[in-house]
Every structure is written in structure tokens, then in C-alpha cells.
């Protein structure tokens, strides 16, 4: 269960770093994902300055389809 959480629940800064893009670009992508219903932003209860991004069920499904397609070639 902890692996699933780490894959689908990250800070915006961590998402930007992992994607290799500037924070401002990552924020635009995350906002687009939120608008499309693929992700939700939540405040971090441990640090009010930070936001957490979580994939929705729809976002997880898209992510799993992408991984499956990438693995098959």
C-alpha cells in the first residue's frame, strides 16, 4: 500500500523535479490535469505553504493504461 501512495500522492515541487521541468510549467500541467478531472490538489496538513497532488480514479486509470502501453512496446 505504501508504494501506491508514493506513486499517486506527491508535492507539486516533487512532481516538477521528477518530470524534469520548471515549477511554473509543472503547475500549468497540474492545473490542466485538475481541470480534466485527472488530479486533485490538497493542502499539506504538515506545511501550509505546500500543496499535495493526488491522482483521481480517472487519473490512476490513465496512468495505468499509459504504463501498460509503454511496457508492451
Amino acid at each position: 500500500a505504501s508504494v501506491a501512495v508514493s506513486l499517486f500522492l506527491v508535492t507539486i515541487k516533487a512532481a516538477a523535479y521528477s518530470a524534469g521541468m520548471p515549477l511554473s510549467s509543472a503547475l500549468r500541467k497540474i492545473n490542466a490535469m485538475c481541470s480534466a478531472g485527472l488530479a486533485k490538489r490538497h493542502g499539506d496538513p504538515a506545511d501550509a505553504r505546500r500543496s499535495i497532488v493526488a491522482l483521481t480514479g480517472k487519473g490512476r486509470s490513465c496512468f495505468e493504461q499509459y504504463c501498460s502501453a509503454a511496457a508492451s512496446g
Side-chain angles (χ1 to χ4, degrees):
S2 63
V3 172
V5 169
S6 67
L7 287 174
F8 301 116
L9 186 68
V10 297
T11 64
I12 292 174
K13 187 174 182 178
Y17 178 79
S18 295
M21 65 175 53
L23 184 58
S24 59
S25 298
L27 282 169
R28 283 192 294 276
K29 299 289 185 186
I30 289 167
N31 287 337
M33 290 176 66
C34 290
S35 293
L38 299 172
K40 286 189 177 185
R41 288 173 65 170
H42 306 276
D44 184 345
D47 186 346
R49 299 167 294 173
R50 189 165 49 184
S51 291
I52 302 291
V53 179
L55 292 177
T56 62
K58 181 179 175 183
R60 268 190 294 265
S61 177
C62 288
F63 178 74
E64 290 166 357
Q65 288 175 10
Y66 170 80
C67 289
S68 179
S72 64

